[in-house]
Amino acid sequence: MYSGNVEVAVDNAVFNPVYLPFLEDMARMQILFGGSSSGKSVFLAQRDVFDLMKGGRNFLVCRQVGRTLRGSVVEEIKKVIREWGLSDLFDINKTDGTITCGNGYQIVFSGLDDVEKLKSITPQKGVFTDARIEEATECDKDAVKQILKRQRGGDATVPKRMTLSFNPILQSHWIYEEYFKGIAWADDQTVYQGDGLSILKTTYRDNKFLTPDDRADLENETDPYYYNVYTLGQWGVLGNVIFSNWVVADLADKASEYYLPEAERTNRRIGLDFGFSSDPAAAPFTHYDRAHKRIYVYDELYERGLTNDMLAEALAARLGGDMVKADSAEPKSIAELRLKGLRADPVKKGKDSVMFGIQWLQQQTIVVDKNCVNMRNELSQYKWREDSAGNAIRQPLDRNNHLIDGLRYAYEDDMLEARVEYLPGLYR
C-alpha cells in the first residue's frame, strides 16, 4: 500500500479471516451485522484506514448522536492507526476528531442528530465516496437518505459505498424490512451478494482475538432473546416486553404533536443510576406533564468509565440547579456529587419498589426524543423473565434498565403520592 511516497505493508494476520473477502468489496450498499464481540467495528475501522492510505476515497462516519462517536468509533480508528505504526502518516484534529492522511484524504465524523450540520460537511479534497453508520439500528430510514445525498458528485469511475453495522435487535426494524425481507434472508445464512447489496453476518466465533472468558460470557447467556441476538447474531423477536406505552418524537419539531420547546421543560425530573465499567452511569432528563400523565424524555446521559468527578462535571452541564434523585445503594458517590456542588438526593426504594415503579410508569405516556437512543433501546428490550415454556413471569429481567431505573428514581415523589392506591405500606 502507498500513502504519498510511503509504502506500508499490512499483514493479513491483523484481520479476522471472515472479513478479508470484504476488504475490497465495492457493493453500493453493504451491511455488516451479527452478534456481540464479532469484530465488525474493528474491521470497519481497519478498512477505513486501509482505503484512506490508498487515496481517492473520503469517509463520512456517523452515529445517531454525535457525542457518542468520540468514545467509540473515533477511538477505534485511532487505535488501528497506533497499532499499525502509522501515527506519522495521519493528523488527528483534537476538536472534532477528523482524521487526515498525508495524501489529503479524510475521515470525517458526524452525528445524525443535527441535519443542518450534516448538510454543510465536506472533505477538504474531493467528495465523500464512503459513508457508514455505526449502530445503524439507532437511526431512521430518512437518515440514510440524507447521507446518500452527501455522496453525490466526484469521479464517476470511483465507486461509492454506504455501510451499515449493527446488532440485529428486532425483526420489526425498518432495516430488516428494507434489506432482508425481499431477499428471503434465512437464519442460518451468513453471506449475501447481489444487485448492489452485500451482507455479512458474523458472531463471536469469527473473532480470533477474543479471550476464553469473553467467549464463555456469550455462550453462557440464559435468556433466549439475548442468546439469539447477541450470541448467535439472529434477528430478534421480542415477546413479553414490559413497556408498550411509549413513542419516539422530535421534541424540537414544531409540527410534531409532542413539540416541547426548551422554555417549556419546566417541571423537570432527573434520576441517576450509578455505573462505571461494565454498566454505564445513566441519567434521564425529563419533563412531567402531570395533567396529561405524559413523561417527556428530552435528554440522557449514558456513559461508561466516568469517575465521580467526571460524572459530576457531566451532570452539572445539564442540571443547572435541578435536583437529581440517585441510587441510594451508593451513599459515598452521592456524597462526592454533593461535594462538587450538585443537589443529589438518595431515593428511598423499599419493599416492592421496582414493581411499583414499573406499574406507575406503565400508566403514563412516555415520549422519548429521537436522539435519546439509549432510552429507546432500553424501552424496546426491557422484558419480563420467562419460564421454560416461554411464559412471562411477573419479574423483570435485570438488564437493559439503567435509564429505566433512573426514570423510576426521578419520579419517586410522584409515585409516593399514589402508594396507598397500589401497594399500601410501600416504602415504610
Side-chain angles (χ1 to χ4, degrees), residues 20 122 129 182 221 230 269 320 325 341 355 366 370 395 416:
L20 281 173
T122 56
T129 57
E221 175 58 62
Y230 295 105
R269 310 281 193 278
K325 302 285 283 189
M355 282 301 301
I366 303 172
K370 66 184 182 69
Q395 181 183 2
L416 284 171

Side-chain angles (χ1 to χ4, degrees), residues 115 127 157 164 209 212 244 310 356 362 410:
V115 175
V127 301
T157 65
L164 309 180
F209 301 106
S244 59
M310 296 164 64
F356 178 74
Q362 285 175 327

Side-chain angles (χ1 to χ4, degrees), residues 242-422:
I242 292 174
F243 293 108
S244 59
N245 56 318
W246 62 284
V247 296
V248 177
D250 183 351
L251 299 186
D253 182 1
K254 293 181 179 179
S256 170
E257 173 188 355
Y258 301 106
Y259 172 57
L260 185 69
E262 289 190 25
E264 295 181 16
R265 301 170 189 179
T266 54
N267 195 20
R268 290 184 287 272
R269 310 281 193 278
I270 300 101
L272 172 62
D273 188 41
F274 290 103
F276 183 69
S277 54
S278 58
D279 292 335
F285 295 79
T286 78
H287 162 83
Y288 190 34
D289 180 350
R290 186 189 299 271
H292 297 95
K293 300 180 71 174
R294 186 177 289 176
I295 295 171
Y296 290 88
V297 183
Y298 60 83
D299 196 7
E300 64 182 17
L301 182 149
Y302 190 91
E303 293 188 45
R304 292 176 174 84
L306 296 182
T307 64
N308 285 335
D309 284 352
M310 296 164 64
L311 176 59
E313 183 178 350
L315 286 170
R318 295 180 172 98
L319 279 175
D322 287 331
M323 170 74 70
V324 60
K325 302 285 283 189
D327 185 355
S328 56
E330 295 209 22
K332 180 175 180 290
S333 294
I334 293 173
E336 290 178 357
L337 294 182
R338 286 175 171 173
L339 286 173
K340 290 294 181 178
L342 272 64
R343 295 177 60 210
D345 259 8
V347 292
K348 297 180 179 66
K349 295 189 177 180
K351 181 182 178 182
D352 297 322
S353 61
V354 174
M355 282 301 301
F356 178 74
I358 287 172
Q359 291 174 20
W360 189 88
L361 288 171
Q362 285 175 327
Q363 297 178 50
Q364 318 298 312
T365 298
I366 303 172
V367 184
V368 184
D369 186 77
K370 66 184 182 69
N371 291 322
C372 294
V373 294
N374 295 295
M375 179 61 84
R376 288 164 51 187
N377 288 339
E378 288 195 4
L379 290 169
S380 295
Q381 299 178 68
Y382 191 43
K383 55 177 287 190
W384 300 113
R385 291 187 182 275
E386 299 173 358
D387 62 21
S388 58
N391 301 310
I393 300 170
R394 296 291 288 180
Q395 181 183 2
L397 192 64
D398 188 21
R399 60 193 306 172
N400 281 318
N401 58 344
H402 307 293
L403 285 164
I404 290 172
D405 282 351
L407 196 62
R408 288 192 298 105
Y409 303 157
Y411 284 84
E412 179 190 50
D413 291 341
D414 300 276
M415 294 175 186
L416 284 171
E417 294 178 8
R419 69 187 184 279
V420 175
E421 299 175 35
Y422 295 96

Side-chain angles (χ1 to χ4, degrees), residues 47-118:
R47 190 172 75 170
D48 291 352
V49 174
F50 180 88
D51 284 338
L52 197 64
M53 290 188 298
K54 290 193 295 184
R57 309 193 72 86
N58 288 299
F59 296 78
L60 178 63
V61 181
C62 304
R63 279 190 70 171
Q64 176 61 33
V65 179
R67 65 174 178 262
T68 62
L69 283 163
R70 176 74 66 171
S72 56
V73 188
V74 177
E75 286 303 315
E76 202 68 71
I77 295 174
K78 287 166 63 176
K79 183 178 178 182
V80 170
I81 291 171
R82 289 194 304 269
E83 290 183 347
W84 287 6
L86 303 173
S87 297
D88 291 342
L89 296 180
F90 292 91
D91 177 69
I92 301 174
N93 187 294
K94 293 181 180 179
T95 302
D96 60 14
T98 296
I99 296 172
T100 305
C101 187
N103 56 21
Y105 292 97
Q106 294 181 302
I107 302 174
V108 180
F109 303 92
S110 179
L112 302 176
D113 45 347
D114 189 343
V115 175
E116 293 307 313
K117 180 181 177 182
L118 189 64

Side-chain angles (χ1 to χ4, degrees), residues 157-170:
T157 65
V158 179
K160 295 184 174 68
R161 298 182 297 192
M162 163 72 81
T163 303
L164 309 180
S165 63
F166 55 88
N167 298 120
I169 56 173
L170 289 172

